[in-house]
Amino acid sequence: MNTLFNNQAKVYKEKNKNRGRLLIKCPDQPGIVAHISKFLFQHQANIIESSQYSTDHEGGNFFMRIEFECPDLPQKFGQMKESFINVAQDFEMEWKLQQNSELKRTAIFVSKQLHCLREILLEWQNGDMMMEIPLVISNHLEAKEIVESLGIPFYHIPASKENREEVETKQLQLLEEYNIDVVILARYMQILTSRFVSAQANKIINIHHSFLPAFVGAKPYDRAYARGVKIIGATSHYVTNDLDEGPIIEQDISRVDHRDEVEDLKRKGASIERSVLARAVKWHLEDRVIVYGNKTVVF
């Protein structure tokens, strides 16, 4: 594994050893914030950052993300999770309590185009994207050299419509073997089956080279050029069984005009894709994204 990142991770874990995050989603009602604040106070935790949102104060859904500092958190954490169950039950909460020092383990899937992979690896090397990368999986060999040069295991698993079930069985085995928390599709140009998606619900982050919901599916830049669009974009979203229709995490755009050919759109689009995917992944790693229905709240 990359020595520079290991040193950065060691510093990060030490600095954040007593920091945690709490995410909740529940029906909106009086008393939620008061009870959560009381719970944290009882455990000597100090709130560092707090964000909340309600879809409707009468009968809507309430969302909240809190980051806190708590003395001796590693020793207290198990007991805190156990005691929060009562608070969660009272308010019918879906919730997640996380230690900041526990880095998520990611698997990156990539095909021939490497611009998104390079961006993710650069952010990771710089310490701007705190995660572990135990492996990279690809259906082509283009990424092998760059991945292995960083000490990351590279798995070449050729994929097609004919062997998709066999390929996904191998991939799922690897995800289990490496205890993977999130899958990053860095321009992995294969459609995932419902079996794979169901096994990793809200854990697969994709980058689509289009400002969804426009130009869903293959060759969006060619179709955008044919349509004469003046704006192109990219969308990062969670993968669901509905192609390119999962909950959107982040989007961005760039202006184009009649002088731009298809290759110009692809070149400009690649720049947007890199930054959009990087932001979406970083927000997921920091537990800033809460999924509800086919939407997201991003704090």
Side-chain angles (χ1 to χ4, degrees):
M1 193 62 73
N2 186 275
T3 303
L4 175 61
F5 174 78
N6 285 342
N7 293 335
Q8 291 170 335
K10 184 177 180 180
V11 172
Y12 174 86
K13 289 181 178 182
E14 178 62 28
K15 181 180 179 180
N16 288 272
K17 65 181 180 181
N18 289 323
R19 289 197 175 187
R21 306 181 190 115
L22 175 62
L23 274 73
I24 67 164
K25 175 174 65 176
C26 64
D28 198 358
Q29 56 193 291
I32 299 172
V33 176
H35 278 74
I36 293 174
S37 299
K38 181 180 178 181
F39 165 81
L40 292 172
F41 175 74
Q42 289 173 337
H43 290 86
Q44 300 176 299
N46 184 38
I47 296 174
I48 299 171
E49 180 182 333
S50 179
S51 302
Q52 63 190 67
Y53 168 71
S54 176
T55 59
D56 190 332
H57 297 297
E58 296 183 4
N61 291 311
F62 180 83
F63 306 86
M64 192 172 196
R65 178 189 184 274
I66 289 180
E67 190 159 338
F68 61 88
E69 179 111 14
C70 181
D72 302 315
L73 181 61
Q75 291 75 32
K76 294 179 179 179
F77 188 71
Q79 193 271 330
M80 287 181 70
K81 288 187 73 173
E82 185 69 25
S83 61
F84 191 74
I85 292 175
N86 292 329
V87 179
Q89 289 177 340
D90 289 342
F91 290 92
E92 302 177 57
M93 292 179 181
E94 295 179 33
W95 60 283
K96 177 182 180 182
L97 186 62
Q98 177 77 30
Q99 296 182 79
N100 290 19
S101 59
E102 293 294 321
L103 301 185
K104 292 180 175 58
R105 295 171 61 81
T106 65
I108 304 176
F109 284 43
V110 64
S111 292
K112 289 185 176 182
Q113 299 183 50
L114 306 185
H115 55 284
C116 288
L117 171 68
R118 291 180 185 276
E119 184 74 16
I120 295 295
L121 293 178
L122 179 61
E123 293 280 317
W124 172 73
Q125 285 181 283
N126 288 342
D128 295 326
M129 195 172 285
M130 297 306 302
M131 61 183 176
E132 296 180 8
I133 309 178
L135 77 164
V136 171
I137 296 175
S138 180
N139 54 329
H140 296 280
L141 288 169
E142 276 77 357
K144 180 179 174 66
E145 182 176 353
I146 183 176
V147 170
E148 292 187 339
S149 71
L150 296 173
I152 302 171
F154 177 83
Y155 288 86
H156 176 222
I157 307 177
S160 65
K161 292 180 180 180
E162 290 70 31
N163 68 346
R164 185 166 293 162
E165 184 174 345
E166 177 186 351
V167 165
E168 289 194 347
T169 296
K170 291 180 182 178
Q171 291 171 341
L172 288 170
Q173 289 173 346
L174 286 169
L175 298 184
E176 183 176 358
E177 177 184 339
Y178 282 95
N179 193 27
I180 296 300
D181 299 305
V182 56
V183 174
I184 303 169
L185 303 184
R187 291 302 301 269
Y188 181 67
M189 308 308 289
Q190 293 287 314
I191 297 175
L192 304 176
T193 69
S194 59
R195 178 179 68 129
F196 190 99
V197 173
S198 298
Q200 306 291 324
N202 293 332
K203 294 181 180 180
I204 307 172
I205 300 175
N206 185 43
I207 182 68
H208 185 75
H209 41 312
S210 171
F211 193 75
L212 294 176
F215 304 118
V216 173
K219 296 187 175 181
Y221 291 124
D222 297 77
R223 289 183 285 135
Y225 174 76
R227 185 64 181 82
V229 302
K230 304 306 179 188
I231 292 176
I232 59 169
T235 303
S236 187
H237 64 95
Y238 290 113
V239 175
T240 64
N241 288 323
D242 297 318
L243 182 63
D244 296 331
E245 293 188 12
I248 292 172
I249 307 170
E250 173 63 337
Q251 295 181 292
D252 206 350
I253 59 170
S254 176
R255 296 199 65 84
V256 295
D257 63 28
H258 57 276
R259 301 175 184 87
D260 291 305
E261 301 291 336
V262 173
E263 291 305 314
D264 297 315
L265 301 190
K266 291 180 179 179
R267 176 176 49 80
K268 292 180 179 181
S271 178
I272 311 171
E273 293 163 25
R274 294 198 302 267
S275 59
V276 168
L277 179 61
R279 289 197 296 270
V281 170
K282 187 173 183 179
W283 293 340
H284 180 92
L285 296 174
E286 295 176 353
D287 297 307
R288 295 188 177 276
V289 187
I290 301 177
V291 177
Y292 74 107
N294 203 42
K295 295 183 179 181
T296 61
V297 171
V298 182
F299 287 122

